[in-house]
PDB file of all heavy atoms in Angstrom:
ATOM      1  N   GLN L 375      67.451 171.149 138.285  1.00 75.00           N
ATOM      2  CA  GLN L 375      67.881 171.124 136.901  1.00 75.00           C
ATOM      3  C   GLN L 375      68.283 169.723 136.451  1.00 75.00           C
ATOM      4  O   GLN L 375      68.891 169.575 135.408  1.00 75.00           O
ATOM      5  CB  GLN L 375      69.050 172.072 136.665  1.00 75.00           C
ATOM      6  CG  GLN L 375      68.771 173.554 136.917  1.00 75.00           C
ATOM      7  CD  GLN L 375      69.918 174.430 136.507  1.00 75.00           C
ATOM      8  OE1 GLN L 375      70.286 174.507 135.359  1.00 75.00           O
ATOM      9  NE2 GLN L 375      70.472 175.160 137.449  1.00 75.00           N
ATOM     10  N   SER L 376      67.935 168.719 137.183  1.00 72.00           N
ATOM     11  CA  SER L 376      68.270 167.352 136.816  1.00 72.00           C
ATOM     12  C   SER L 376      67.647 166.918 135.514  1.00 72.00           C
ATOM     13  O   SER L 376      66.432 167.018 135.346  1.00 72.00           O
ATOM     14  CB  SER L 376      67.881 166.393 137.944  1.00 72.00           C
ATOM     15  OG  SER L 376      68.253 165.088 137.601  1.00 72.00           O
ATOM     16  N   ILE L 377      68.446 166.419 134.547  1.00 73.00           N
ATOM     17  CA  ILE L 377      67.928 166.041 133.258  1.00 73.00           C
ATOM     18  C   ILE L 377      68.275 164.597 132.889  1.00 73.00           C
ATOM     19  O   ILE L 377      67.868 164.121 131.856  1.00 73.00           O
ATOM     20  CB  ILE L 377      68.430 166.982 132.125  1.00 73.00           C
ATOM     21  CG1 ILE L 377      69.964 166.901 131.985  1.00 73.00           C
ATOM     22  CG2 ILE L 377      67.960 168.397 132.385  1.00 73.00           C
ATOM     23  CD1 ILE L 377      70.485 167.658 130.828  1.00 73.00           C
ATOM     24  N   TYR L 378      69.116 163.918 133.673  1.00 72.00           N
ATOM     25  CA  TYR L 378      69.570 162.618 133.282  1.00 72.00           C
ATOM     26  C   TYR L 378      68.912 161.465 134.088  1.00 72.00           C
ATOM     27  O   TYR L 378      69.517 160.430 134.338  1.00 72.00           O
ATOM     28  CB  TYR L 378      71.082 162.529 133.441  1.00 72.00           C
ATOM     29  CG  TYR L 378      71.809 163.253 132.351  1.00 72.00           C
ATOM     30  CD1 TYR L 378      72.677 164.316 132.618  1.00 72.00           C
ATOM     31  CD2 TYR L 378      71.650 162.877 131.024  1.00 72.00           C
ATOM     32  CE1 TYR L 378      73.362 164.973 131.617  1.00 72.00           C
ATOM     33  CE2 TYR L 378      72.342 163.514 130.006  1.00 72.00           C
ATOM     34  CZ  TYR L 378      73.163 164.580 130.306  1.00 72.00           C
ATOM     35  OH  TYR L 378      73.851 165.200 129.312  1.00 72.00           O
ATOM     36  N   GLY L 379      67.661 161.680 134.474  1.00 70.00           N
ATOM     37  CA  GLY L 379      66.981 160.596 135.190  1.00 70.00           C
ATOM     38  C   GLY L 379      66.844 159.344 134.412  1.00 70.00           C
ATOM     39  O   GLY L 379      66.794 158.211 134.969  1.00 70.00           O
ATOM     40  N   TRP L 380      66.855 159.440 133.079  1.00 63.00           N
ATOM     41  CA  TRP L 380      66.708 158.243 132.219  1.00 63.00           C
ATOM     42  C   TRP L 380      67.909 157.324 132.327  1.00 63.00           C
ATOM     43  O   TRP L 380      67.832 156.180 131.873  1.00 63.00           O
ATOM     44  CB  TRP L 380      66.481 158.658 130.791  1.00 63.00           C
ATOM     45  CG  TRP L 380      67.496 159.633 130.252  1.00 63.00           C
ATOM     46  CD1 TRP L 380      67.454 160.986 130.266  1.00 63.00           C
ATOM     47  CD2 TRP L 380      68.778 159.292 129.628  1.00 63.00           C
ATOM     48  NE1 TRP L 380      68.564 161.528 129.716  1.00 63.00           N
ATOM     49  CE2 TRP L 380      69.397 160.510 129.294  1.00 63.00           C
ATOM     50  CE3 TRP L 380      69.438 158.123 129.304  1.00 63.00           C
ATOM     51  CZ2 TRP L 380      70.664 160.605 128.693  1.00 63.00           C
ATOM     52  CZ3 TRP L 380      70.662 158.180 128.709  1.00 63.00           C
ATOM     53  CH2 TRP L 380      71.231 159.404 128.384  1.00 63.00           C
ATOM     54  N   ARG L 381      69.032 157.778 132.853  1.00 66.00           N
ATOM     55  CA  ARG L 381      70.153 156.861 132.892  1.00 66.00           C
ATOM     56  C   ARG L 381      70.709 156.695 134.315  1.00 66.00           C
ATOM     57  O   ARG L 381      71.872 156.442 134.546  1.00 66.00           O
ATOM     58  CB  ARG L 381      71.314 157.322 132.003  1.00 66.00           C
ATOM     59  CG  ARG L 381      71.863 158.679 132.377  1.00 66.00           C
ATOM     60  CD  ARG L 381      73.309 158.805 131.809  1.00 66.00           C
ATOM     61  NE  ARG L 381      73.975 159.905 132.389  1.00 66.00           N
ATOM     62  CZ  ARG L 381      74.430 160.039 133.638  1.00 66.00           C
ATOM     63  NH1 ARG L 381      74.230 159.021 134.428  1.00 66.00           N
ATOM     64  NH2 ARG L 381      75.050 161.063 134.059  1.00 66.00           N
ATOM     65  N   GLY L 382      69.751 156.749 135.248  1.00 69.00           N
ATOM     66  CA  GLY L 382      70.109 156.400 136.612  1.00 69.00           C
ATOM     67  C   GLY L 382      70.450 157.548 137.519  1.00 69.00           C
ATOM     68  O   GLY L 382      70.717 157.372 138.731  1.00 69.00           O
ATOM     69  N   ALA L 383      70.397 158.816 137.010  1.00 74.00           N
ATOM     70  CA  ALA L 383      70.626 159.967 137.869  1.00 74.00           C
ATOM     71  C   ALA L 383      69.341 160.247 138.654  1.00 74.00           C
ATOM     72  O   ALA L 383      68.239 159.871 138.267  1.00 74.00           O
ATOM     73  CB  ALA L 383      71.049 161.149 137.042  1.00 74.00           C
ATOM     74  N   SER L 384      69.519 161.004 139.747  1.00 72.00           N
ATOM     75  CA  SER L 384      68.379 161.355 140.589  1.00 72.00           C
ATOM     76  C   SER L 384      68.595 162.743 141.182  1.00 72.00           C
ATOM     77  O   SER L 384      69.704 163.049 141.634  1.00 72.00           O
ATOM     78  CB  SER L 384      68.219 160.329 141.696  1.00 72.00           C
ATOM     79  OG  SER L 384      67.228 160.765 142.662  1.00 72.00           O
ATOM     80  N   ALA L 385      67.548 163.532 141.166  1.00 67.00           N
ATOM     81  CA  ALA L 385      67.627 164.869 141.745  1.00 67.00           C
ATOM     82  C   ALA L 385      67.879 164.818 143.243  1.00 67.00           C
ATOM     83  O   ALA L 385      68.270 165.781 143.870  1.00 67.00           O
ATOM     84  CB  ALA L 385      66.343 165.642 141.499  1.00 67.00           C
ATOM     85  N   SER L 386      67.695 163.650 143.866  1.00 74.00           N
ATOM     86  CA  SER L 386      67.958 163.475 145.290  1.00 74.00           C
ATOM     87  C   SER L 386      69.452 163.269 145.562  1.00 74.00           C
ATOM     88  O   SER L 386      69.858 163.278 146.705  1.00 74.00           O
ATOM     89  CB  SER L 386      67.187 162.335 145.865  1.00 74.00           C
ATOM     90  OG  SER L 386      67.606 161.060 145.269  1.00 74.00           O
ATOM     91  N   GLY L 387      70.261 163.153 144.538  1.00 82.00           N
ATOM     92  CA  GLY L 387      71.695 162.962 144.667  1.00 82.00           C
ATOM     93  C   GLY L 387      72.333 164.048 145.543  1.00 82.00           C
ATOM     94  O   GLY L 387      73.061 163.739 146.524  1.00 82.00           O
ATOM     95  N   PRO L 388      72.120 165.337 145.236  1.00 86.00           N
ATOM     96  CA  PRO L 388      72.720 166.396 146.084  1.00 86.00           C
ATOM     97  C   PRO L 388      72.247 166.297 147.532  1.00 86.00           C
ATOM     98  O   PRO L 388      73.027 166.598 148.462  1.00 86.00           O
ATOM     99  CB  PRO L 388      72.216 167.670 145.407  1.00 86.00           C
ATOM    100  CG  PRO L 388      71.986 167.304 143.962  1.00 86.00           C
ATOM    101  CD  PRO L 388      71.525 165.890 144.030  1.00 86.00           C
ATOM    102  N   ALA L 389      70.967 165.937 147.736  1.00 85.00           N
ATOM    103  CA  ALA L 389      70.474 165.861 149.128  1.00 85.00           C
ATOM    104  C   ALA L 389      71.227 164.814 149.947  1.00 85.00           C
ATOM    105  O   ALA L 389      71.377 164.951 151.176  1.00 85.00           O
ATOM    106  CB  ALA L 389      68.968 165.558 149.117  1.00 85.00           C
ATOM    107  N   ARG L 390      71.703 163.773 149.278  1.00 90.00           N
ATOM    108  CA  ARG L 390      72.422 162.707 149.968  1.00 90.00           C
ATOM    109  C   ARG L 390      73.903 163.006 150.135  1.00 90.00           C
ATOM    110  O   ARG L 390      74.589 162.304 150.898  1.00 90.00           O
ATOM    111  CB  ARG L 390      72.227 161.418 149.206  1.00 90.00           C
ATOM    112  CG  ARG L 390      70.795 160.898 149.164  1.00 90.00           C
ATOM    113  CD  ARG L 390      70.717 159.605 148.415  1.00 90.00           C
ATOM    114  NE  ARG L 390      69.317 159.138 148.339  1.00 90.00           N
ATOM    115  CZ  ARG L 390      68.765 158.660 147.278  1.00 90.00           C
ATOM    116  NH1 ARG L 390      69.455 158.587 146.154  1.00 90.00           N
ATOM    117  NH2 ARG L 390      67.479 158.277 147.263  1.00 90.00           N
ATOM    118  N   PHE L 391      74.428 163.976 149.420  1.00 93.00           N
ATOM    119  CA  PHE L 391      75.850 164.253 149.422  1.00 93.00           C
ATOM    120  C   PHE L 391      76.397 164.522 150.841  1.00 93.00           C
ATOM    121  O   PHE L 391      77.456 163.945 151.202  1.00 93.00           O
ATOM    122  CB  PHE L 391      76.183 165.504 148.540  1.00 93.00           C
ATOM    123  CG  PHE L 391      77.631 165.843 148.489  1.00 93.00           C
ATOM    124  CD1 PHE L 391      78.462 165.273 147.523  1.00 93.00           C
ATOM    125  CD2 PHE L 391      78.154 166.708 149.407  1.00 93.00           C
ATOM    126  CE1 PHE L 391      79.812 165.613 147.518  1.00 93.00           C
ATOM    127  CE2 PHE L 391      79.497 167.065 149.420  1.00 93.00           C
ATOM    128  CZ  PHE L 391      80.334 166.473 148.428  1.00 93.00           C
ATOM    129  N   PRO L 392      75.743 165.357 151.672  1.00 94.00           N
ATOM    130  CA  PRO L 392      76.324 165.639 153.006  1.00 94.00           C
ATOM    131  C   PRO L 392      76.588 164.387 153.797  1.00 94.00           C
ATOM    132  O   PRO L 392      77.534 164.322 154.612  1.00 94.00           O
ATOM    133  CB  PRO L 392      75.286 166.532 153.646  1.00 94.00           C
ATOM    134  CG  PRO L 392      74.614 167.225 152.508  1.00 94.00           C
ATOM    135  CD  PRO L 392      74.571 166.168 151.425  1.00 94.00           C
ATOM    136  N   ASP L 393      75.742 163.348 153.699  1.00 93.00           N
ATOM    137  CA  ASP L 393      75.940 162.096 154.457  1.00 93.00           C
ATOM    138  C   ASP L 393      76.937 161.204 153.799  1.00 93.00           C
ATOM    139  O   ASP L 393      77.679 160.457 154.464  1.00 93.00           O
ATOM    140  CB  ASP L 393      74.585 161.371 154.606  1.00 93.00           C
ATOM    141  CG  ASP L 393      73.730 162.061 155.689  1.00 93.00           C
ATOM    142  OD1 ASP L 393      74.289 162.564 156.665  1.00 93.00           O
ATOM    143  OD2 ASP L 393      72.494 161.962 155.566  1.00 93.00           O
ATOM    144  N   GLN L 394      76.980 161.193 152.471  1.00 94.00           N
ATOM    145  CA  GLN L 394      77.910 160.323 151.749  1.00 94.00           C
ATOM    146  C   GLN L 394      79.328 160.834 151.743  1.00 94.00           C
ATOM    147  O   GLN L 394      80.262 160.068 151.611  1.00 94.00           O
ATOM    148  CB  GLN L 394      77.425 160.133 150.310  1.00 94.00           C
ATOM    149  CG  GLN L 394      76.111 159.347 150.203  1.00 94.00           C
ATOM    150  CD  GLN L 394      75.536 159.314 148.789  1.00 94.00           C
ATOM    151  OE1 GLN L 394      75.651 160.346 148.045  1.00 94.00           O
ATOM    152  NE2 GLN L 394      74.939 158.254 148.418  1.00 94.00           N
ATOM    153  N   PHE L 395      79.509 162.155 151.883  1.00 96.00           N
ATOM    154  CA  PHE L 395      80.851 162.752 151.885  1.00 96.00           C
ATOM    155  C   PHE L 395      81.032 163.522 153.186  1.00 96.00           C
ATOM    156  O   PHE L 395      81.067 164.787 153.167  1.00 96.00           O
ATOM    157  CB  PHE L 395      81.045 163.610 150.695  1.00 96.00           C
ATOM    158  CG  PHE L 395      81.090 162.910 149.353  1.00 96.00           C
ATOM    159  CD1 PHE L 395      79.889 162.552 148.716  1.00 96.00           C
ATOM    160  CD2 PHE L 395      82.292 162.562 148.773  1.00 96.00           C
ATOM    161  CE1 PHE L 395      79.912 161.890 147.517  1.00 96.00           C
ATOM    162  CE2 PHE L 395      82.329 161.888 147.572  1.00 96.00           C
ATOM    163  CZ  PHE L 395      81.124 161.506 146.929  1.00 96.00           C
ATOM    164  N   ARG L 396      81.123 162.840 154.304  1.00 95.00           N
ATOM    165  CA  ARG L 396      81.239 163.483 155.558  1.00 95.00           C
ATOM    166  C   ARG L 396      82.677 164.003 155.766  1.00 95.00           C
ATOM    167  O   ARG L 396      83.582 163.569 155.139  1.00 95.00           O
ATOM    168  CB  ARG L 396      80.862 162.482 156.707  1.00 95.00           C
ATOM    169  CG  ARG L 396      79.368 162.204 156.742  1.00 95.00           C
ATOM    170  CD  ARG L 396      79.018 161.192 157.808  1.00 95.00           C
ATOM    171  NE  ARG L 396      77.564 161.092 157.951  1.00 95.00           N
ATOM    172  CZ  ARG L 396      76.861 161.771 158.784  1.00 95.00           C
ATOM    173  NH1 ARG L 396      77.456 162.562 159.664  1.00 95.00           N
ATOM    174  NH2 ARG L 396      75.541 161.651 158.880  1.00 95.00           N
ATOM    175  N   THR L 397      82.780 164.910 156.746  1.00 95.00           N
ATOM    176  CA  THR L 397      84.088 165.470 157.079  1.00 95.00           C
ATOM    177  C   THR L 397      84.917 164.389 157.811  1.00 95.00           C
ATOM    178  O   THR L 397      84.456 163.310 158.169  1.00 95.00           O
ATOM    179  CB  THR L 397      83.927 166.681 158.005  1.00 95.00           C
ATOM    180  OG1 THR L 397      83.395 166.257 159.246  1.00 95.00           O
ATOM    181  CG2 THR L 397      82.962 167.702 157.393  1.00 95.00           C
ATOM    182  N   ALA L 398      86.214 164.714 157.957  1.00 92.00           N
ATOM    183  CA  ALA L 398      87.102 163.788 158.639  1.00 92.00           C
ATOM    184  C   ALA L 398      86.603 163.480 160.057  1.00 92.00           C
ATOM    185  O   ALA L 398      86.877 162.384 160.591  1.00 92.00           O
ATOM    186  CB  ALA L 398      88.523 164.358 158.648  1.00 92.00           C
ATOM    187  N   GLY L 399      85.903 164.429 160.671  1.00 93.00           N
ATOM    188  CA  GLY L 399      85.404 164.215 161.999  1.00 93.00           C
ATOM    189  C   GLY L 399      84.050 163.500 162.057  1.00 93.00           C
ATOM    190  O   GLY L 399      83.507 163.302 163.141  1.00 93.00           O
ATOM    191  N   GLY L 400      83.525 163.196 160.857  1.00 93.00           N
ATOM    192  CA  GLY L 400      82.250 162.435 160.842  1.00 93.00           C
ATOM    193  C   GLY L 400      81.038 163.330 160.686  1.00 93.00           C
ATOM    194  O   GLY L 400      79.888 162.806 160.649  1.00 93.00           O
ATOM    195  N   ALA L 401      81.197 164.635 160.616  1.00 95.00           N
ATOM    196  CA  ALA L 401      80.028 165.503 160.508  1.00 95.00           C
ATOM    197  C   ALA L 401      79.571 165.582 159.053  1.00 95.00           C
ATOM    198  O   ALA L 401      80.378 165.375 158.143  1.00 95.00           O
ATOM    199  CB  ALA L 401      80.387 166.902 160.964  1.00 95.00           C
ATOM    200  N   PRO L 402      78.290 165.841 158.781  1.00 95.00           N
ATOM    201  CA  PRO L 402      77.844 166.000 157.401  1.00 95.00           C
ATOM    202  C   PRO L 402      78.568 167.108 156.690  1.00 95.00           C
ATOM    203  O   PRO L 402      78.984 168.120 157.329  1.00 95.00           O
ATOM    204  CB  PRO L 402      76.357 166.299 157.550  1.00 95.00           C
ATOM    205  CG  PRO L 402      75.964 165.800 158.907  1.00 95.00           C
ATOM    206  CD  PRO L 402      77.190 165.954 159.754  1.00 95.00           C
ATOM    207  N   ALA L 403      78.769 166.955 155.385  1.00 95.00           N
ATOM    208  CA  ALA L 403      79.438 167.993 154.611  1.00 95.00           C
ATOM    209  C   ALA L 403      78.680 169.312 154.707  1.00 95.00           C
ATOM    210  O   ALA L 403      77.434 169.343 154.818  1.00 95.00           O
ATOM    211  CB  ALA L 403      79.620 167.554 153.156  1.00 95.00           C
ATOM    212  N   HIS L 404      79.414 170.394 154.568  1.00 94.00           N
ATOM    213  CA  HIS L 404      78.757 171.722 154.619  1.00 94.00           C
ATOM    214  C   HIS L 404      78.004 171.950 153.326  1.00 94.00           C
ATOM    215  O   HIS L 404      78.391 171.479 152.249  1.00 94.00           O
ATOM    216  CB  HIS L 404      79.847 172.814 154.770  1.00 94.00           C
ATOM    217  CG  HIS L 404      80.640 172.676 156.047  1.00 94.00           C
ATOM    218  ND1 HIS L 404      80.136 173.016 157.281  1.00 94.00           N
ATOM    219  CD2 HIS L 404      81.935 172.256 156.236  1.00 94.00           C
ATOM    220  CE1 HIS L 404      81.068 172.793 158.215  1.00 94.00           C
ATOM    221  NE2 HIS L 404      82.143 172.314 157.580  1.00 94.00           N
ATOM    222  N   VAL L 405      76.930 172.717 153.431  1.00 93.00           N
ATOM    223  CA  VAL L 405      76.104 173.070 152.246  1.00 93.00           C
ATOM    224  C   VAL L 405      76.121 174.570 152.065  1.00 93.00           C
ATOM    225  O   VAL L 405      75.808 175.339 153.016  1.00 93.00           O
ATOM    226  CB  VAL L 405      74.636 172.551 152.393  1.00 93.00           C
ATOM    227  CG1 VAL L 405      73.825 172.962 151.179  1.00 93.00           C
ATOM    228  CG2 VAL L 405      74.650 171.061 152.562  1.00 93.00           C
ATOM    229  N   HIS L 406      76.484 175.018 150.898  1.00 93.00           N
ATOM    230  CA  HIS L 406      76.483 176.428 150.509  1.00 93.00           C
ATOM    231  C   HIS L 406      75.496 176.609 149.357  1.00 93.00           C
ATOM    232  O   HIS L 406      75.177 175.690 148.659  1.00 93.00           O
ATOM    233  CB  HIS L 406      77.860 176.919 150.116  1.00 93.00           C
ATOM    234  CG  HIS L 406      78.872 176.817 151.164  1.00 93.00           C
ATOM    235  ND1 HIS L 406      79.166 177.853 152.062  1.00 93.00           N
ATOM    236  CD2 HIS L 406      79.712 175.815 151.512  1.00 93.00           C
ATOM    237  CE1 HIS L 406      80.146 177.462 152.887  1.00 93.00           C
ATOM    238  NE2 HIS L 406      80.488 176.208 152.582  1.00 93.00           N
ATOM    239  N   ARG L 407      75.062 177.858 149.143  1.00 91.00           N
ATOM    240  CA  ARG L 407      74.103 178.160 148.104  1.00 91.00           C
ATOM    241  C   ARG L 407      74.516 179.395 147.311  1.00 91.00           C
ATOM    242  O   ARG L 407      75.015 180.360 147.898  1.00 91.00           O
ATOM    243  CB  ARG L 407      72.657 178.358 148.667  1.00 91.00           C
ATOM    244  CG  ARG L 407      72.036 177.039 149.170  1.00 91.00           C
ATOM    245  CD  ARG L 407      70.757 177.305 149.889  1.00 91.00           C
ATOM    246  NE  ARG L 407      70.036 176.045 150.169  1.00 91.00           N
ATOM    247  CZ  ARG L 407      70.371 175.214 151.152  1.00 91.00           C
ATOM    248  NH1 ARG L 407      71.363 175.492 151.955  1.00 91.00           N
ATOM    249  NH2 ARG L 407      69.670 174.077 151.337  1.00 91.00           N
TER     250      ARG L 407
END
Side-chain angles (χ1 to χ4, degrees):
Q375 297 188 62
S376 180
I377 63 173
Y378 284 119
W380 52 269
R381 62 156 192 75
S384 170
S386 64
R390 296 181 181 135
F391 180 91
D393 283 329
Q394 292 172 324
F395 293 82
R396 289 177 171 267
T397 67
H404 300 286
V405 178
H406 298 268
R407 289 171 171 78

